[in-house]
Amino acid sequence: MSDLGVGLVGCGKISGIYLDNAPRLDGVRIVACTDVDAERARETAHERAIDACTMDELLAHRDVQVVLCLTPPDFHADVALAAIGAGKHIYTEKPLATSVDDARWVLQSAAAAGVLVGSAPDTFLGAGIQTIKAAIDDGRIGAPAVAQIRLLARPPETWHPSPAFLYAELSGPLMDLGPYAVATAIELFGDVEAVTGLGTRPRTSGVTLDGTEFPIVEPTRVAGVLAHESGVLTTITTTDDANAPARYGVEVHGLDGTLLGGDPNTFDGPVVLARRGELDQTLPLVSEWNENSRGLGLQDLCRAARDGTPQRASGELGLQVLETLLDIRDCALSGV
Ligand SMILES: NC(=O)c1ccc[n+]([C@@H]2O[C@H](COP(=O)([O-])OP(=O)(O)OC[C@H]3O[C@@H](n4cnc5c(N)ncnc54)[C@H](O)[C@@H]3O)[C@@H](O)[C@H]2O)c1
């Protein structure tokens, strides 16, 4: 089966792993790239033997059927709408947009144009979360009742060269890391019907690796509670003020047992099944996608466009993730 040509927009930090993984993804062939920093696009194009373009050239490129948006979040909706206007499918890094109105407009525009929308995160398609899902579906813990999902990270200024956008309005750990938690919760327990949340902001500024001060405007510690239509209650915790990821980022409890899984910001396990009166058991992972497999969602979209298979990292999921996070944020900011 032939691959779809992909044009990459935004040649920053996360673009490397998409470019590394593309050759092993079914249906995906990255053929061109662009960046507002033209030199950066030229360097990426040279390293990866693809075409360096302006945005207009990328949208007009005859081999580009899919636009892959890897810009900071503020530009996601604009890039998506430009891609849709040019008749291209769009897969965007998270979030789908920074407002629910923009996200809905992207989905409506795509539907009218007959093109597909996909949105990160795609970590829930990896071996870790899919192994938890298979164990739940197999009845290993009985009906799931409550879950805890923790996304604990070190301050972005300790690892990202330009971290200010990760603390800007509508970013912060909830909006940056929360998508992994919420997408995982929806994948495992279904649609969300109500949420609440709390947050605190002990730090109001940070310093980049090169010594520049920047403001921190969002809470750096946020907890949210999701009531799913299925009756499962999921608590999510996100922070930039931790030393390391939680040992078990995902815990799912049912009457017959507990599942313990890794960090939902990765694709890996381990996944441990704990049942009363039995030794804990590390479950075999259900797929080989257990390393940094960013791009599985792009593969999902390319296969859907090519073969008509159902999309899992879909625009609709991206919209529900965004709505859920913004509802938690409203609660966190109002101190409810
Ligand atoms: N860095 C990570 O570890 C990571 C992990 C998962 C997801 N993401 C997501 O990936 C996206 C990008 O993050 P990043 O860390 O690579 O950011 P980055 O700042 O390193 O790179 C963004 C790139 O986009 C370019 N750009 C900005 N606006 C543009 C526009 N309108 N058109 C074309 N190019 C534009 C910038 O010049 C820059 O090269 C974000 O949505 C982020 O949430 C990042």
Side-chain angles (χ1 to χ4, degrees), residues 1 8 14 20 41 53 70 127 138 144 160-162 166 175 184 193 216 271 308 334:
M1 290 286 237
L8 183 160
I14 201 66
D20 289 349
C53 300
L70 305 180
D138 287 348
H160 199 290
S162 47
L166 291 167
M175 300 306 288
T184 296
E193 68 177 9
I216 295 177
V271 176
S334 67

Side-chain angles (χ1 to χ4, degrees), residues 9-327:
V9 181
C11 305
K13 189 167 172 62
I14 201 66
S15 63
I17 190 67
Y18 278 88
L19 287 155
D20 289 349
N21 286 342
R24 58 193 278 251
L25 297 173
D26 175 40
V28 176
R29 189 166 56 95
I30 300 181
V31 295
C33 66
T34 188
D35 197 294
V36 284
D37 180 341
E39 183 52 32
R40 194 174 280 182
R42 272 194 294 275
E43 276 169 21
T44 300
H46 179 70
E47 276 168 25
R48 307 290 181 154
I50 58 179
D51 295 340
C53 300
T54 64
M55 184 69 181
D56 286 344
E57 287 167 351
L58 185 133
L59 293 176
H61 197 299
R62 65 186 178 133
D63 294 333
V64 170
Q65 285 110 44
V66 178
V67 170
L68 168 63
C69 177
L70 305 180
T71 70
D74 281 351
F75 306 100
H76 290 182
D78 286 347
V79 170
L81 291 168
I84 293 163
K88 316 285 185 187
H89 307 292
I90 171 76
Y91 182 83
T92 184
E93 251 307 330
K94 46 83 185 167
L96 176 56
T98 51
S99 78
V100 169
D101 283 351
D102 283 355
R104 287 208 178 111
W105 182 234
V106 166
L107 295 191
Q108 282 165 14
S109 304
V115 297
L116 299 179
V117 180
S119 175
D122 56 0
T123 44
F124 70 87
L125 297 176
I129 304 301
Q130 288 303 314
T131 299
I132 294 176
K133 183 171 170 55
I136 293 172
D137 291 348
D138 287 348
R140 307 290 291 271
I141 62 166
V146 294
Q148 288 163 22
I149 305 184
R150 289 180 283 262
L151 269 301
L152 314 183
R154 296 168 62 227
E157 62 269 38
T158 61
W159 57 270
H160 199 290
S162 47
F165 82 89
L166 291 167
Y167 286 110
E169 190 177 4
L170 287 167
S171 187
L174 177 68
M175 300 306 288
D176 185 51
L177 300 173
Y180 302 107
V182 175
T184 296
I186 295 170
E187 170 75 355
L188 295 180
F189 314 122
D191 289 345
V192 174
E193 68 177 9
V195 305
T196 189
L198 277 173
T200 60
R201 182 173 64 116
R203 297 188 291 133
T204 54
S205 67
V207 180
T208 63
L209 291 171
D210 67 7
T212 312
E213 190 165 328
F214 60 87
I216 295 177
V217 301
E218 292 277 331
T220 57
R221 303 166 189 178
V222 184
V225 183
L226 283 53
H228 297 265
E229 286 172 8
S230 58
V232 176
L233 203 66
T234 303
T235 306
I236 71 165
T237 308
T238 65
T239 185
D240 282 333
D241 295 330
N243 170 58
R247 184 156 302 168
Y248 292 112
V250 182
E251 273 189 37
V252 188
H253 301 264
L255 265 183
D256 298 338
T258 297
L259 286 160
L260 304 166
D263 182 350
N265 188 7
T266 72
F267 295 78
D268 202 358
V271 176
V272 175
L273 173 64
R275 285 159 60 105
R276 194 146 37 121
E278 296 178 14
L279 287 176
D280 288 0
Q281 190 186 343
T282 299
L283 301 180
L285 298 178
V286 297
S287 83
E288 77 278 15
W289 298 108
N290 63 346
E291 292 163 357
N292 186 346
S293 307
R294 281 205 161 73
L296 282 181
L298 175 64
Q299 170 178 268
D300 190 52
L301 177 136
C302 289
R303 281 178 168 167
R306 186 189 63 187
D307 309 331
T309 48
Q311 265 184 284
R312 294 177 295 167
S314 64
E316 286 73 20
L317 176 63
L319 173 61
Q320 189 180 164
V321 168
L322 180 66
E323 285 172 331
T324 303
L325 291 170
L326 289 175
D327 286 350

